[in-house]
Amino acid sequence: MTDRLQTVLRHLASGKPHQGISTNPVSAAYQYSQPDCILSDEQRRFYDKNGFLVIKNLVSGDKIDKYRERFEKVCTREVKIPGVIIMRDVAIAKSEFVPGEHAVTKIQDWMLDPVLFQYCCDPEILKYVEAFTGPDIAAMHTMVINKPPDPGSKSSRHPLHQDLHYFPFRPADRIVCSWTAMEKVDRSNGCLVVLPGSHTGDLKQHDYPEWEGGVNKMYHGVRDYSPDHPRVHLEMEKGDTVFFHPLLIHGSGMNRTQGFRKAISCHYASNHCYYIDVEGTTQENISSETLEIARKRLGNNIKLSYKDLWRLRARLVKGQPGNMTE
């Protein structure tokens, strides 16, 4: 990680100009997908209107079982991944130590793990990612989510939010999330809930919601949205994958079962996207919080910007290097 950090800082110091946005034309009929892609006209229309698209049975059960086994080994510390962030539910964190995967609600930034990173490079997934980003693709953010049974505090909820709140890069239309159910996901164990069409709006102000049972670290919620906006609960089977736009307002409910609800995801961006400065914007709060955590891990003597942290995460998965990756 140290070598990677030095490489990034040298690159930034060189003043290398951004390549800018790809000028590849996008059909005037469809704003959010690329021409001549794997999507049918019906799928392109659906994504344009709603901001998400579910592909059934996209990832095989064998692959998911392999990712599940790897996740368990990370939780028991049999496997250690450089740079990985391991998170616990706020209610669990305040109680006695719970061993293994039952203590962990999420692992993220596992791009340096050769097993889990296979998900990001899966050709079946990338065929659909390319429909939104174009052919030069960077993996920007990775997660395995292990939503725990709710302890009664409702802390297993994830507030409604827009993923773009966390990202210091643009344009939003060339960013997409791939989110795959690792088992049956429904309303009882806290499936995703989305506000269709909300991706056509602007990035909204996000803050921690004022929930009595507490809120998990970095779980910011959107401040202003219409409670009357229609909602769709995405009930999915193992291997089903939803692709969604970073401005789509979404979240998840409580896990009312006794089991853990698992999913694996990766956010992708076109390598022709570009980094932005979020100082003085609605994203400044998440930037400050993230940098504070990074300094605790890396030391105060290392000078990093929010953009630096994201460039450290980025990995080329298809096509040519560009603005997002080395």
Side-chain angles (χ1 to χ4, degrees):
M1 178 61 75
T2 302
D3 292 342
R4 170 78 174 158
L5 174 59
Q6 294 302 322
T7 299
V8 169
L9 294 178
R10 284 197 302 272
H11 175 82
L12 292 172
S14 70
K16 181 179 177 181
H18 290 307
Q19 296 177 19
I21 299 304
S22 170
T23 56
N24 292 338
V26 176
S27 169
Y30 303 109
Q31 179 178 347
Y32 300 104
S33 58
Q34 299 289 317
D36 302 320
C37 65
I38 191 173
L39 302 182
S40 67
D41 279 349
E42 181 181 2
Q43 289 172 323
R44 295 180 76 186
R45 281 194 296 269
F46 186 91
Y47 189 89
D48 259 35
K49 179 180 180 180
N50 297 286
F52 69 95
L53 181 68
V54 177
I55 305 298
K56 306 293 289 184
N57 197 31
L58 183 62
V59 181
S60 72
D62 288 345
K63 291 178 181 177
I64 289 174
D65 292 343
K66 179 172 60 177
Y67 304 145
R68 177 188 292 268
E69 180 181 355
R70 190 68 166 184
F71 170 77
E72 292 171 357
K73 289 182 177 180
V74 173
C75 293
T76 59
R77 302 182 183 178
E78 183 179 345
V79 169
K80 296 184 178 180
I81 305 171
V84 73
I85 297 175
I86 299 176
M87 303 177 72
R88 302 172 68 196
D89 185 273
V90 63
I92 297 174
K94 292 177 180 177
S95 64
E96 296 180 5
F97 175 73
V98 183
E101 67 175 299
H102 288 183
V104 176
T105 58
K106 183 190 294 184
I107 63 171
Q108 62 184 36
D109 297 340
W110 36 256
M111 282 84 118
L112 296 180
D113 182 73
V115 176
L116 291 174
F117 194 62
Q118 291 174 23
Y119 173 82
C120 304
C121 303
D122 190 322
E124 296 303 310
I125 292 175
L126 290 179
K127 285 191 299 186
Y128 286 93
V129 171
E130 185 172 347
F132 307 106
T133 64
D136 302 321
I137 307 171
M140 301 302 298
H141 185 240
T142 53
M143 295 185 293
V144 174
I145 304 149
N146 189 44
K147 183 186 280 286
D150 195 88
S153 62
K154 301 181 181 180
S155 58
S156 67
R157 293 176 293 174
H158 197 303
L160 291 171
H161 64 284
Q162 298 165 298
D163 289 342
L164 194 67
H165 171 65
Y166 296 90
F167 301 158
F169 45 92
R170 300 292 188 273
D173 293 350
R174 298 283 78 85
I175 303 168
V176 71
C177 180
S178 167
W179 192 101
T180 300
M182 297 177 69
E183 55 206 306
K184 182 177 176 61
V185 175
D186 57 26
R187 296 185 69 168
S188 68
N189 63 4
C191 65
L192 288 179
V193 58
V194 301
L195 275 57
S198 55
H199 67 300
T200 62
D202 297 325
L203 178 60
K204 297 181 179 296
Q205 176 74 43
H206 287 63
D207 294 297
Y208 281 111
E210 297 178 358
W211 287 352
E212 183 178 345
V215 185
N216 284 307
K217 192 72 173 174
M218 302 181 79
Y219 276 29
H220 290 194
V222 66
R223 178 184 288 177
D224 177 32
Y225 67 93
S226 172
D228 298 325
H229 195 293
R231 301 186 183 196
V232 173
H233 291 84
L234 300 182
E235 299 195 341
M236 300 162 65
E237 299 292 333
K238 179 179 179 179
D240 292 353
T241 302
V242 59
F243 297 91
F244 59 90
H245 191 281
L247 281 171
L248 181 74
I249 298 176
H250 66 287
S252 62
M254 288 186 295
N255 180 359
R256 295 180 173 87
T257 72
Q258 295 305 304
F260 284 70
R261 189 272 276 158
K262 291 181 175 63
I264 185 169
S265 73
C266 179
H267 282 91
Y268 299 90
S270 165
N271 236 336
H272 302 286
C273 287
Y274 54 91
Y275 291 100
I276 64 167
D277 187 351
V278 301
E279 185 176 354
T281 74
T282 61
Q283 295 178 256
E284 190 168 12
N285 57 354
I286 190 62
S287 170
S288 299
E289 185 175 344
T290 304
L291 286 169
E292 181 181 351
I293 294 171
R295 292 187 190 104
K296 290 179 180 178
R297 294 180 53 148
L298 300 174
N300 288 323
N301 58 323
I302 296 180
K303 303 302 181 184
L304 288 173
S305 70
Y306 195 45
K307 292 184 287 186
D308 296 337
L309 292 178
W310 280 93
R311 192 185 288 275
L312 281 168
R313 291 185 174 110
R315 291 291 184 276
L316 181 69
V317 292
K318 187 175 182 181
Q320 298 300 312
N323 296 332
M324 310 309 289
T325 60
E326 297 298 311

